[in-house]
Structures are given as structure tokens and as C-alpha cells.
Amino acid sequence: VYGGGGSATAPPRHVAAAPSAAPRSVVQGRVAQPVVLAAPIAGKTTAMLRNLPDGFTRNALLHLLDTEGFAGRYDFAYLPVDFDTLQGLKHAFVNMTSPAEADRLRSHLEGFTNWSLPSDSACAVAWNDRQQGLPALVERYRNSPVMHDTVPDECKPVIVVGGRRAMFPPPTQKIKAPKILKGKGYA
């Protein structure tokens, strides 16, 4: 069901488009169902959002996606953090549920400046060249130190099903704590 992309070169759009259905916002709750991964679909669905404002958090990312018309249209979101400061690294990865939605995200957020935080940053959107699609992202992160129990939940990637947060598939090996957190007494 999840995977792959396309490309878009449409001019930036800064007004939220109304989705065709009224999906639930991901920040409203979490479901305790495991995620079932299907084969990737053809085309690109995973985008990297760059030039996010200082102080941007995963919850701010989810809120941005939901309020800009993408609620229920993405199934993965991750804002990497600096484990020394636990601050966002000014970029994020988002997987959309279809190549068409990925194209819409790319055209809508390219050049976006209407942040909830004071910032002059203009968002730049690129395809994620390393991992495309939900299955590839799950495999990349399920055994990553970012998923260790000592890492705060806000710093971890999330999977979203039907507009609600779902459980991340369990690791397939023992997860080591991030080196910085080990040195700070978190692990």
C-alpha cells in the first residue's frame, strides 16, 4: 500500500487545500495497532523538507502537515534531532500515502514561509534519495538508536494510519542508545 513518487514543478502554494475527506489529525491520538507493511507502490512518496525554523519540533511538523491540508495523507513523519541538545535539525522526512499526494506536498510546501514560529526560512522540498516509501523508512529506523527506550518520544519517527498514530513495528535486533545520551546518563 505504501511506497514510491513522481515530481512536481508547480509554483509554491501557501493556502491550505481542503482534503476531499475529513481525516483525523494525527496529534489527536494514538492507536495501539501494529502496522502492516505492503509492497511499495510505483513512484516517489518520501520527501525531505529543508530549512525548517529554529525550534521546530515533531509536533509542530505534524500540526503543519495537518493544518496545511495533509491530514490523513501522510503515513510517516520524522524530524531528526541533535542528541546533544534534543533540538530539531531543521529538516524532516515525510512519506505521503500516494505519489499524487507527494507531488501536492512538494508543490504546496516549496517556498512555504507561513510558520507558526517567527522565522524567515523558506521551506525547500526534495525527494529523499536514500529511502523511498514506508517499508524502506521502517527498515531504516526500526533498529536505529533513535528508537531506543531512553530517547524521548518527541524525538522519534511516527507512523500514521488513517490520520492516527500507530505503533512502530518492533526492532529486529537489540537497539543501542545514542552515544550522546549514553554520555549524559540517559542510558
Side-chain angles (χ1 to χ4, degrees), residues 32-108:
Q33 303 169 323
V35 174
V36 177
L37 299 176
I41 56 176
K44 293 185 178 188
T45 57
T46 307
M48 180 181 194
L49 309 180
R50 297 180 178 156
N51 301 330
L52 301 177
D54 287 329
F56 211 63
T57 65
R58 186 190 69 199
N59 281 343
L61 172 65
L62 299 176
H63 181 74
L64 171 77
L65 294 170
D66 291 348
T67 59
E68 291 300 317
F70 298 100
R73 308 290 197 251
Y74 59 95
D75 53 25
F76 177 93
Y78 176 48
L79 185 119
V81 299
D82 175 343
F83 286 113
D84 192 29
T85 64
L86 297 181
Q87 296 297 308
L89 293 179
K90 298 183 75 168
H91 67 275
F93 301 98
V94 178
N95 191 69
M96 303 306 288
T97 57
S98 72
E101 288 298 332
D103 286 339
R104 191 169 74 83
L105 175 87
R106 189 171 182 187
S107 65
H108 182 81

Side-chain angles (χ1 to χ4, degrees), residues 8 15 31-32 48 52 70-71 79 82 116 140 153 162 169 181-182:
V15 178
V31 291
M48 180 181 194
L52 301 177
F70 298 100
L79 185 119
D82 175 343
S116 58
R140 163 66 180 93
D153 183 67
L181 289 180
K182 285 182 190 174

Side-chain angles (χ1 to χ4, degrees), residues 72 79 92 150 167:
L79 185 119
T150 60
M167 288 176 39

